Amino acid sequence: MTIKHSTTTGTMKSGYANMVNQPEHVGIDALGEEILIGDDIVEINDDVILEKNLEDYLIEYLGATFKTAE
């Protein structure tokens, strides 16, 4: 008697479901993170940065310092 797991059986029939639904990769930002279609990006000179990485980019590449005004 062979026991089959339903997830394995389904995968064998139809392939890996999440591989089909992943957004298309369009590049890598200046900090090395993958850019996918629909991501918000910022262009500074020749660099492309994911918007969520902008603060890190400003600190690491441009030497920005974030402070609270007193």
Side-chain angles (χ1 to χ4, degrees), residues 3-42:
I3 299 174
K4 296 182 179 180
H5 192 279
S6 61
T7 303
T8 304
T9 304
T11 300
M12 296 302 288
K13 288 181 182 177
S14 61
Y16 293 98
N18 66 346
M19 295 300 287
V20 175
N21 296 329
Q22 290 184 354
E24 188 175 339
H25 168 92
V26 293
I28 303 291
D29 81 344
L31 297 178
E33 193 162 335
E34 183 177 44
I35 301 172
L36 304 175
I37 288 180
D39 283 343
D40 294 320
I41 60 171
V42 177

